[in-house]
Amino acid sequence: MTEDSQAISRRGFVRAGIGGTGLIGAAALGITQGGFAQGVESLGAGTHTTGPEPGTHVMPTVVGEVDHAKNGFNPTAMLTDFDGGKVSTLPSGQTLREYNLVAQNQTIEIVPGVEFAAWTYNGRIPGPTIRVTEGDRVRITMVNASDHPHSTHFHGVHPGLVDGVFDMQSGVVQPGGRHTYEFDAEPFGLHLYHCHTAPLAKHIAKGLYGTFIIDPKGGRPAVDREMVMVMAGYDVDFDGANDFYLVNGIPFHYDHGKHPITLRVGEKVRVYLVNILEYDIANSFHLHANFFHYFPTGTSLTPAEFTDTIALMQGQRGILEFSYKHPGRYMFHAHKTEFAELGWTGVFEVSA
């Protein structure tokens, strides 16, 4: 974080840029009310908008682009980079999947010109999407390359000695140390992992979390596209309140005029959605002009709900399945609108 940004309060820092009159703040942060990319034609049937005309109302976004190469990760690629690990077979015939996680200090440019002193697994936020099959043996070696104690706590069913909570024996790793967590993957579903070292809120808010998918032995029904979205926030002035909200590490990334997610009409999509947002009670997901089948925690192959909006507490997660009937440009975002205005928003661009 820059020295200048430390001097700006949370509300003055961001709201100045989106409130309609605070253009000085907008310039400092690069936040604009105009979100349409020049020359991008709306895909909506019968609508052909090419730019922000007078009276046009669009969501806030930011001007410019963060340096993804310098950050070391790109949220577009992270949608689909499932990590199956190093695979081998144990003498018992059981599949072994091995992973390495490195906890480290890292500076991340979260919006153009605003850097954040993060803690990461493997240099990215969120950490790698670990994907295994129910019954696999999972072996994860964590190296602590940072200057703070860290751990890796997995959601799922496993012995207490690999829970990553209480002490060095159970997986709290001192700077310069390493620890191996090993357990059998159960139950199938969508889970997560995160640092569980005190102060826990700070360790999560600074970026130490990731997705842990356990597929059923027979797999899930086939779909055309699968993607991961991890909902979180950034407290850039460290006052215990979030200044930005996001999915997959960078606010506004999937926005109109930036990196919308392209789909085709009728394409069946599965989204693994995880909420690890710190400092706020809950988070949410809303899909425009569509409904989705919802599988809470992914532990059943039968959907529990058909809806267009869900709310999740921290640690809650679920699987969404949907397809679009019509071509067009459709938003997805937190339906806590403050979160959407501060970065948790994106667009599906659906072609015929």
Side-chain angles (χ1 to χ4, degrees):
M1 185 174 64
T2 65
E3 184 176 346
D4 287 342
S5 66
Q6 288 179 322
I8 304 171
S9 70
R10 177 197 182 207
R11 295 306 176 195
F13 180 70
V14 178
R15 289 201 179 282
I18 62 175
T21 57
L23 297 181
I24 294 176
L29 263 181
I31 293 176
T32 175
Q33 291 189 74
F36 285 115
Q38 294 296 322
V40 175
E41 184 170 304
S42 170
L43 298 173
T47 304
H48 301 281
T49 303
T50 58
E53 299 174 350
T56 299
H57 179 73
V58 296
M59 295 293 291
T61 185
V62 291
V63 174
E65 190 78 14
V66 304
D67 189 338
H68 298 295
K70 185 178 179 181
N71 281 346
F73 64 91
N74 188 312
T76 296
M78 293 169 79
L79 284 170
T80 55
D81 62 348
F82 302 98
D83 189 343
K86 178 184 176 183
V87 183
S88 60
T89 303
L90 295 170
S92 64
Q94 185 179 20
T95 297
L96 171 66
R97 296 183 185 269
E98 298 178 88
Y99 298 85
N100 294 309
L101 292 178
V102 179
Q104 60 194 68
N105 303 342
Q106 185 166 342
T107 299
I108 302 293
E109 186 183 25
I110 57 173
V111 293
V114 177
E115 294 186 332
F116 178 69
W119 292 339
T120 68
Y121 288 121
N122 292 7
R124 46 177 280 173
I125 299 176
T129 298
I130 294 174
R131 187 166 193 173
V132 305
T133 300
E134 188 177 32
D136 289 348
R137 175 65 56 87
V138 183
R139 181 179 295 163
I140 295 167
T141 299
M142 180 189 135
V143 174
N144 188 352
S146 78
D147 51 6
H148 298 269
H150 292 304
S151 69
T152 308
H153 162 68
F154 284 84
H155 287 224
V157 178
H158 50 248
L161 278 178
V162 294
D163 203 36
V165 175
F166 296 110
D167 48 32
M168 293 178 63
Q169 187 180 17
S170 61
V172 177
V173 184
Q174 298 301 310
R178 67 172 55 209
H179 185 84
T180 298
Y181 310 84
E182 185 166 328
F183 53 89
D184 293 338
E186 61 175 329
F188 78 79
L190 172 58
H191 309 302
L192 66 155
Y193 63 89
H194 56 84
C195 183
H196 212 299
T197 304
L200 180 55
K202 180 178 179 181
H203 285 239
I204 290 176
K206 284 173 73 72
L208 288 170
Y209 50 80
T211 301
F212 177 39
I213 298 171
I214 303 178
D215 289 319
K217 289 182 178 178
R220 295 183 182 278
V223 294
D224 299 302
R225 295 274 298 276
E226 290 190 317
M227 58 189 74
V228 172
M229 295 186 183
V230 181
M231 304 188 292
Y234 288 121
D235 169 20
V236 299
D237 51 6
F238 303 110
D239 65 349
N242 290 306
D243 304 292
F244 292 98
Y245 298 85
L246 54 120
V247 283
N248 294 350
I250 301 297
F252 303 106
H253 178 80
Y254 304 110
D255 242 342
H256 40 64
K258 289 190 174 298
H259 307 282
I261 300 171
T262 58
L263 300 175
R264 300 187 311 275
V265 169
E267 191 174 21
K268 192 165 186 179
V269 179
R270 176 177 292 141
V271 174
Y272 297 90
L273 181 70
V274 176
N275 180 37
I276 192 64
L277 178 66
E278 194 59 71
Y279 302 132
D280 288 280
I281 294 174
N283 208 334
S284 57
F285 180 101
H286 170 53
L287 185 64
H288 276 222
N290 208 346
F291 271 55
F292 53 82
H293 294 284
Y294 185 60
F295 305 75
T297 321
T299 48
S300 171
L301 300 182
T302 302
E305 192 172 4
F306 187 56
T307 182
D308 64 358
T309 305
I310 52 169
L312 300 170
M313 303 291 285
Q314 187 189 53
Q316 281 193 297
R317 62 277 186 189
I319 298 173
L320 291 61
E321 292 184 355
F322 58 91
S323 60
Y324 269 96
K325 186 176 181 180
H326 305 287
R329 175 184 287 167
Y330 303 104
M331 288 190 68
F332 60 93
H333 59 86
H335 219 303
K336 170 71 172 172
T337 49
E338 177 194 28
F339 296 1
E341 291 177 338
L342 297 178
W344 178 178
T345 181
V347 169
F348 289 117
E349 286 193 351
V350 183
S351 60

